[in-house]
Amino acid sequence: MDSKPSPSSGRYENSKKPYLSKSVSDANSHNQSLASILNNPHAGKSDGWWWPSNSSSLAVVPEFTPLNPLPKPGSDIARTDFLPYIASFSDPFARFDDIQQHSKSSLLDDQNGENALVACLREVPSLYFKEDFQLEDGATFKAACPFRTAAENLVMQEKLSQYLDVVELHLVREISLRSSSFFEAQGQLEDLNSKIVEGCKRIRELKETIRLLDTNLVGPARKLQELNVKRSDLVALQNKLKLIIYVNQALSTLNLLVASADCAGALDVTDDLQHLLDGDELAGLHCFRHLRDELATSIDSINSILSAEFLRITIQETGNMDAAITSKFKARATIAISGEGHEAKLDEEETSNFRDRLLPFVIGLLRTAKLPAVLRIYRDTLTADMKTAIKTAVEELLHVLVAQPSDSDFVAGERVADTDGGSSSLASRLRSLAPESFVQLLKAIFMIVQVHLVQASEVKKTIEWIICHLDDHYAADSVAAAIALGAAAAETASESDGQITTFSQFSPPSNFSRLFSIQEKGNDATTMSNLSRIFRADILRENTEAVFAACDAAHGRWAKILGVRAPLHSKLRLQEFLNIYNITQEFITATEKIGGRLGYSIRGTIQSQAKAFVDFQHESRMAKLKAILDQENWAEIDVPDEFQTIVTALFSSKSETSGHADDDSADTATSKTEVVRNSSDPSMVDAGLLNISHNTEPTDSTSTHPDNTAQSNDMKSRERGRSSPRMLSFGGVAYHMVNCGLILVKMLSEYIDMNNSLTGLSSEVVHRVVDILKFFNTRTCQLVLGAGAMQVSGLKSITSKHLALTSQVISFIYTIIPEIKRILFLRVPETHKGLLMLEVDRVAQDYKVHRDEIHSKLVQIMRERLLVHLRSLPQIVESLNRQEDTDSQPSQFACSITKEVGLLQRVLCRTLHEVDVQAIFRQVVIIFHSQISEAFSRLDISSQQARQRVYRDVQHLLGCIRSLPSDIKSNPPNWGQLDEFLEQNFDAEASQ
């Protein structure tokens, strides 16, 4: 019970309410203010009726001493005069100030979240604040009074009194904090009561004044107003009846105008009716509840008429021209490949008539804001009509073209025969066409597409002329007004989230009223100009898209037709493929010029087919070249005139066109090569070369083996009886050729033709040329230097003649590589030139290395033959030391060496160029000097006859060495170590 009471709100607080209310009422009955009682500094114990009974221990405040009378004005007043007053007032003031400070601290405590009731709950036990607190209850009484003795109960009663005082103290504190607001509210309530009484009095006076005014003034005026309103209603009714008659007549007129297809008059009527609907004139008339739907139906009918006429004028009239073109091709009329010869154009009069016919329908569609939508329909219809026209032309012409005989037997086995009278598919019949017939079919499609695109282009130009350039025309004002209406309609459609499904959302009459409302609200010319510009841009965009869609559809059909025959095109001859490629490029150029955009689909198709053509041609040529190399016997053949013409035509353009651009030189080379292609059938040339290769006997069977000497002599005598073979000349230098070399030259010319014709694939062609040059060089090296020809083509040995002819072929290819590079790189893009030039230069370097290796092989052959003969030299000298030699001629050793060297010299001089021969024999001379002098220096010559024989052999060998061609200038020629050996060891023999 000594603990501080817990915070709670219970019975105790409720039980004290009557007491507090009674105290407040007593204070009010005595007209006392609770605040003044609390703040009275002279209050004594007798005035503290509200103070707790146990507060007798508080000090009694003495009464204030009466104040001294104020001094008269002008008398001297000092601070000491106030000391008695301050002394008498100091204690009550100190107590008053303490109370004020205590109140402030209580306010601070309240601001920290603690009020008087919380303080009570902290000091008084929570038991007394329970809602169900009843001392009559046994358990509650035991909890409140647990003591049994009277003394303990008295102490408990005293504590209860203290708890009551604590609650009263805190309640009084709360009341003191709120006393100023309470009395202020009470004063305001009294003022409000007085004002209410005064207001009621004024209301009674005002009601009386109103009654008098209503009786004397308002009554007659109101009756006059009612009569005027009735008269206005009758006039409005009459006008409404006239409006109903006008609307009925307008509806009848509208039906007649729609039935007679007078779209301009019908649109004028709909504008008037829609203006009435958008206003308030027809509001509430039940008889016109369906008028908006009727106008929507009429507008739909007008739009249908305008759209149908627009499509009829722009599309349907081209059908007769398609039939005429098809009939012309069926009659096998001669038509040039160039599209410029059959370009369809309209003259000035036809253009003027076409514009006059299309103008009213375009104006009508502008007024209804349907021109963009109709242009989209026109685009789809034009695209479908283009596809249908192409398909119809293909089906009709296939019956004629399939039956035509083909001049070319290429891919004849792959053509599909239509034996069942047209039951095969369209694709199979297209694949069965000969290349010439297919080109004729493409020409017909080209002309039909051009007719449709020219018509579409004229429609595009006419609409652009109406929209943008109709300045001085009589219909300029009508077009401007129609564009303004259409712009407003487009704005309404955009505000309706683009849902152009009902007449109320997208109708020109409503936009007509919208146009007037915009002008009436501020004459915003800038807004109308922006709307018109956006509407114009929308029309022009759809107009352009229609033509481009038609071009794209034509490109798609053309690409599809090309795709059907894609497997066949890669196997065509170059000229046959070029006919298809060129007409396709011409078709692309003509259609893109009309459409205004690039056709990526058809460009990709023709480019892929061109690449497939190049790949197939390259693969076939690689396989053909491999077969020819495997059959090559490396014998010299006469060069046909066709191949000399090819070389001359290809590589003479550099000197003839040195003052012209690179493209001109390439074109000149191309034209010359075409002359060569047309003069002779390449397949016949190939067959002739093969026959020459197989029927020509080896012109030189010189071998490094001694057993072949007799055979070589027989061949030498046989060659003397016939004329020298014709060689291939380039740059003033003639080259001996074999069959595979001529075939490679012809293939390179074909690659150059492909490069000049298929300019978009120049990089690919250069790669293929590099591949075939690499393959020829590598395979030739394997067959000749690697002696692979002995296993593949059945050669018994690889002779010096074979090596020399191979060197000639390799040297010729190495010589023309820079010219090939110059011609090919005229068409190669700059971005690809760097790497490709490195590839070509690397191939040229490989050819140079191969040629040098062949020359080194010839030197090695002569060195090996020399070493073979030098091995028998010690035995010969030893036999000379033992027996007497009576022969004055050089020994067989020296004669054999000089004979073989002379034979090699004749072969190389007859086959190789002088520079190459000199370079080869320069090395041979060095080897002869070093090897022979070294071999003779190791000999043990003991007899005079042996010395004379060695001297004669050395002289004979030096004579042979002197006669060998060499690029070393010396006197005597080819002087070397053997000469020094002779001077050092045989001076006596030389003097004799």
Side-chain angles (χ1 to χ4, degrees):
M1 295 298 292
D2 295 336
S3 62
K4 294 183 180 180
S6 61
S8 176
S9 59
R11 181 185 179 91
Y12 181 76
E13 183 179 0
N14 295 333
S15 63
K16 292 302 179 180
K17 287 180 181 180
Y19 173 75
L20 292 175
S21 61
K22 182 177 182 300
S23 300
V24 172
S25 62
D26 292 340
N28 290 335
S29 62
H30 292 84
N31 294 327
Q32 292 179 353
S33 174
L34 186 59
S36 61
I37 295 173
L38 292 173
N39 296 328
N40 184 8
H42 299 285
K45 184 177 180 181
S46 61
D47 298 330
W49 57 268
W50 47 272
W51 202 256
S53 59
N54 60 347
S55 60
S56 58
S57 60
L58 296 176
V60 178
V61 180
E63 295 183 358
F64 293 131
T65 305
L67 296 175
N68 295 325
L70 295 174
K72 294 180 180 181
S75 60
D76 295 333
I77 298 176
R79 181 176 178 82
T80 56
D81 298 333
F82 295 96
L83 291 178
Y85 171 77
I86 293 173
S88 62
F89 193 78
S90 59
D91 291 338
F93 179 76
R95 183 175 177 274
F96 177 76
D97 183 65
D98 182 63
I99 292 173
Q100 291 294 329
Q101 293 298 330
H102 181 71
S103 299
K104 291 180 180 179
S105 62
S106 298
L107 289 175
L108 292 175
D109 293 340
D110 293 342
Q111 291 176 358
N112 293 330
E114 182 179 358
N115 54 21
L117 295 178
V118 175
C120 292
L121 290 175
R122 189 173 62 247
E123 298 180 12
V124 179
S126 61
L127 176 66
Y128 300 102
F129 292 99
K130 291 184 178 180
E131 294 182 358
D132 58 347
F133 180 80
Q134 296 289 339
L135 284 176
E136 295 84 357
D137 187 13
T140 304
F141 184 80
K142 288 182 179 181
C145 302
F147 307 105
R148 297 182 178 179
T149 62
E152 291 177 347
N153 288 332
L154 290 176
V155 173
M156 184 61 193
Q157 290 178 5
E158 183 65 22
K159 284 186 178 182
L160 290 176
S161 299
Q162 291 178 1
Y163 293 156
L164 180 62
D165 294 338
V166 169
V167 172
E168 288 180 350
L169 177 63
H170 287 293
L171 286 177
V172 169
R173 182 181 300 171
E174 288 293 324
I175 292 171
S176 66
L177 293 176
R178 294 171 175 81
S179 60
S180 60
S181 300
F182 173 76
F183 290 109
E184 182 180 357
Q186 185 177 8
Q188 293 177 357
L189 183 61
E190 292 178 357
D191 293 339
L192 180 61
N193 187 20
S194 61
K195 291 180 180 179
I196 289 173
V197 173
E198 183 179 358
C200 291
K201 180 179 179 181
R202 290 187 178 183
I203 289 172
R204 285 194 297 271
E205 294 176 353
L206 183 59
K207 287 176 67 177
E208 182 64 22
T209 304
I210 290 173
R211 185 182 65 78
L212 294 176
L213 291 174
D214 189 24
T215 303
N216 298 328
L217 297 176
V218 177
R222 185 172 57 187
K223 184 175 181 181
L224 181 61
Q225 182 184 9
E226 291 175 354
L227 293 176
N228 287 330
V229 170
K230 184 176 181 180
R231 179 179 179 278
S232 300
D233 291 341
L234 293 175
V235 172
L237 178 60
Q238 183 183 10
N239 294 333
K240 192 70 70 175
L241 293 175
K242 291 180 180 179
L243 181 61
I244 291 172
I245 296 172
Y246 170 77
V247 171
N248 285 329
Q249 292 176 353
L251 287 175
S252 301
T253 305
L254 178 61
N255 293 330
L256 292 175
L257 293 174
V258 172
S260 61
D262 187 357
C263 298
L267 287 176
D268 292 336
V269 175
T270 56
D271 287 344
D272 295 337
L273 292 177
Q274 188 60 39
H275 184 61
L276 293 175
L277 280 175
D278 293 336
D280 298 332
E281 290 86 350
L282 300 180
L285 293 179
H286 188 68
C287 61
F288 293 138
R289 63 186 181 278
H290 301 301
L291 179 59
R292 194 177 297 275
D293 296 333
E294 293 177 4
L295 285 180
T297 304
S298 300
I299 288 294
D300 291 339
S301 301
I302 294 171
N303 287 329
S304 299
I305 294 171
L306 293 172
S307 302
E309 289 298 320
F310 181 86
L311 295 177
R312 182 185 64 81
I313 295 173
T314 55
I315 294 179
Q316 296 176 4
E317 294 182 356
T318 59
N320 297 330
M321 290 184 284
D322 295 345
I325 294 173
T326 305
S327 301
K328 185 177 180 180
F329 270 88
K330 286 182 178 180
R332 303 192 61 165
T334 303
I335 298 177
I337 295 179
S338 176
E340 297 178 358
H342 50 78
E343 185 176 359
K345 289 184 178 180
L346 298 179
D347 56 21
E348 185 176 354
E349 184 178 357
E350 290 176 344
T351 301
S352 178
N353 293 335
F354 182 77
R355 289 179 175 180
D356 292 339
R357 293 173 58 196
L358 200 60
L359 178 60
F361 301 104
V362 173
I363 293 176
L365 291 172
L366 285 173
R367 291 182 63 179
T368 59
K370 284 292 185 179
L371 185 56
V374 171
L375 286 176
R376 285 189 285 271
I377 298 173
Y378 164 71
R379 177 188 63 193
D380 298 337
T381 308
L382 180 62
T383 302
D385 184 69
M386 178 76 73
K387 295 179 180 179
T388 304
I390 295 174
K391 183 177 181 181
T392 303
V394 171
E395 291 176 348
E396 292 182 1
L397 291 176
L398 276 178
H399 294 289
V400 179
L401 296 175
V402 171
Q404 292 180 1
S406 175
D407 296 334
S408 175
D409 57 353
F410 191 74
V411 299
E414 300 180 7
R415 296 178 58 189
V416 180
D418 189 6
T419 57
D420 53 356
S423 61
S424 60
S425 65
L426 189 65
S428 62
R429 285 186 289 167
L430 279 172
R431 285 191 291 268
S432 67
L433 287 178
E436 297 81 4
S437 300
F438 183 68
V439 172
Q440 290 295 321
L441 177 64
L442 292 181
K443 293 178 187 176
I445 295 173
F446 191 177
M447 292 185 66
I448 292 173
V449 168
Q450 199 169 30
V451 167
H452 284 262
L453 291 183
V454 167
Q455 181 75 6
S457 177
E458 192 62 34
V459 173
K460 174 177 174 289
K461 293 177 182 177
T462 300
I463 293 177
E464 290 177 350
W465 172 72
I466 294 173
I467 298 299
C468 301
H469 305 290
L470 199 66
D471 296 332
D472 299 331
H473 199 270
Y474 67 89
D477 295 336
S478 299
V479 171
I483 291 175
L485 292 175
E491 179 67 15
T492 301
S494 63
E495 291 179 357
S496 301
D497 294 332
Q499 302 295 326
I500 313 173
T501 55
T502 63
F503 179 78
S504 60
Q505 290 176 339
F506 192 6
S507 59
S510 63
N511 289 287
F512 181 79
S513 61
R514 176 181 174 82
L515 176 62
F516 279 101
S517 65
I518 292 176
Q519 293 176 349
E520 291 174 359
K521 288 180 179 179
N523 293 325
D524 194 350
T526 304
T527 302
M528 291 306 302
S529 176
N530 292 335
L531 293 178
S532 299
R533 186 173 61 255
I534 294 172
F535 185 59
R536 278 193 179 96
D538 189 19
I539 293 173
L540 295 176
R541 181 178 64 255
E542 295 296 339
N543 189 29
T544 304
E545 287 294 330
V547 180
F548 176 71
C551 292
D552 192 54
H555 289 174
R557 286 294 175 176
W558 191 286
K560 187 175 181 180
I561 293 173
L562 291 180
V564 170
R565 289 176 55 90
L568 305 180
H569 288 170
S570 61
K571 302 176 183 179
L572 297 176
R573 296 192 184 99
L574 177 60
Q575 190 57 46
E576 293 173 342
F577 181 79
L578 284 181
N579 291 336
I580 299 173
Y581 182 83
N582 290 335
I583 194 173
T584 302
Q585 291 293 338
E586 190 177 331
F587 175 79
I588 292 172
T589 303
T591 52
E592 287 180 348
K593 182 179 179 181
I594 296 175
R597 298 184 192 174
L598 295 178
Y600 295 102
S601 60
I602 188 171
R603 285 182 179 273
T605 300
I606 192 62
Q607 198 72 2
S608 63
Q609 290 197 10
K611 186 177 184 301
F613 173 79
V614 173
D615 292 340
F616 179 82
Q617 297 297 320
H618 177 67
E619 292 173 1
S620 62
R621 281 167 175 76
M622 291 285 284
K624 179 180 178 181
L625 184 61
K626 183 179 184 302
I628 291 173
L629 285 172
D630 292 342
Q631 298 175 7
E632 181 62 60
N633 57 8
W634 302 101
E636 183 179 2
I637 63 173
D638 288 337
V639 177
D641 295 335
E642 290 83 359
F643 291 91
Q644 185 61 58
T645 307
I646 289 174
V647 173
T648 304
L650 283 178
F651 305 120
S652 64
S653 60
K654 179 177 180 181
S655 59
E656 295 177 2
T657 60
S658 58
H660 297 79
D662 293 341
D663 293 341
D664 297 336
S665 63
D667 294 339
T668 305
T670 304
S671 62
K672 292 183 177 180
T673 308
E674 291 300 327
V675 174
V676 176
R677 296 296 170 270
N678 296 331
S679 64
S680 177
D681 190 355
S683 60
M684 297 302 294
V685 175
D686 295 344
L689 286 173
L690 293 175
N691 292 333
I692 293 173
S693 173
H694 294 161
N695 296 331
T696 303
E697 295 293 334
T699 58
D700 180 34
S701 55
T702 303
S703 175
T704 58
H705 199 275
D707 297 338
N708 294 331
T709 305
Q711 184 181 0
S712 66
N713 293 332
D714 294 339
M715 291 303 302
K716 178 181 178 183
S717 61
R718 189 181 306 170
E719 288 177 358
R720 290 174 183 174
R722 68 180 182 89
S723 60
S724 61
R726 286 179 297 178
M727 295 185 293
L728 190 63
S729 297
F730 173 72
V733 181
Y735 295 86
H736 298 269
M737 297 299 292
V738 296
N739 181 42
C740 62
L742 294 180
I743 296 298
L744 178 62
V745 170
K746 175 178 166 296
M747 290 181 178
L748 291 175
S749 69
E750 292 172 350
Y751 279 109
I752 292 175
D753 290 343
M754 284 190 286
N755 179 74
N756 295 333
S757 303
L758 307 175
T759 56
L761 295 175
S762 295
S763 301
E764 297 291 335
V765 173
V766 173
H767 278 297
R768 304 304 183 272
V769 171
V770 170
D771 289 342
I772 200 168
L773 288 175
K774 284 182 178 179
F775 173 76
F776 181 84
N777 186 47
T778 303
R779 187 59 178 164
T780 301
C781 183
Q782 294 172 354
L783 293 174
V784 180
L785 283 178
M790 298 175 63
Q791 289 79 25
V792 176
S793 57
L795 293 180
K796 295 181 180 180
S797 63
I798 304 299
T799 65
S800 59
K801 180 66 173 179
H802 296 152
L803 292 172
L805 288 174
T806 304
S807 174
Q808 282 282 279
V809 175
I810 296 299
S811 298
F812 176 76
I813 302 301
Y814 172 73
T815 305
I816 66 173
I817 282 178
E819 290 299 314
I820 295 174
K821 173 182 174 183
R822 179 185 63 82
I823 296 173
L824 292 179
F825 277 79
L826 295 176
R827 309 288 183 177
V828 176
E830 292 294 334
T831 56
H832 298 164
K833 280 187 178 180
L835 294 177
L836 292 178
M837 283 185 176
L838 292 177
E839 291 291 331
V840 176
D841 294 340
R842 190 177 295 114
V843 171
Q845 183 64 25
D846 292 341
Y847 272 82
K848 183 178 182 300
V849 171
H850 187 188
R851 184 190 62 184
D852 295 340
E853 289 178 354
I854 293 174
H855 295 173
S856 299
K857 182 66 176 178
L858 291 171
V859 175
Q860 183 183 359
I861 290 174
M862 201 65 248
R863 181 176 181 275
E864 291 175 355
R865 296 307 304 159
L866 176 63
L867 292 177
V868 169
H869 292 293
L870 288 178
R871 291 192 193 101
S872 62
L873 184 60
Q875 290 81 7
I876 295 174
V877 173
E878 184 178 357
S879 63
L880 290 175
N881 290 329
R882 289 197 305 267
Q883 60 184 359
E884 184 178 355
D885 183 18
T886 60
D887 189 4
S888 62
Q889 297 297 324
S891 65
Q892 181 66 29
F893 158 76
C895 292
S896 298
I897 292 177
T898 56
K899 183 179 180 180
E900 292 186 4
V901 171
L903 182 60
L904 178 64
Q905 180 182 358
R906 288 193 300 273
V907 171
L908 296 186
C909 289
R910 188 170 58 248
T911 306
L912 298 181
H913 299 145
E914 182 180 0
V915 176
D916 297 332
V917 173
Q918 292 177 355
I920 292 172
F921 279 103
R922 173 173 50 82
Q923 301 181 38
V924 171
V925 167
I926 294 173
I927 292 174
F928 270 39
H929 275 292
S930 61
Q931 296 293 333
I932 295 174
S933 61
E934 183 180 354
F936 277 116
S937 62
R938 291 197 301 267
L939 294 176
D940 183 13
I941 304 174
S942 59
S943 63
Q944 184 63 28
Q945 59 182 2
R947 285 179 60 84
Q948 292 178 356
R949 174 55 63 88
V950 170
Y951 177 72
R952 286 196 299 269
D953 289 347
V954 171
Q955 287 286 2
H956 184 73
L957 292 174
L958 284 176
C960 177
I961 293 174
R962 298 277 190 269
S963 63
L964 294 179
S966 176
D967 54 359
I968 300 178
K969 303 300 180 181
S970 62
N971 190 16
N974 297 330
W975 188 88
Q977 296 179 7
L978 189 58
D979 292 286
E980 295 176 355
F981 173 79
L982 185 64
E983 292 178 355
Q984 294 175 3
N985 297 282
F986 297 96
D987 291 337
E989 286 79 1
S991 61
Q992 292 178 2

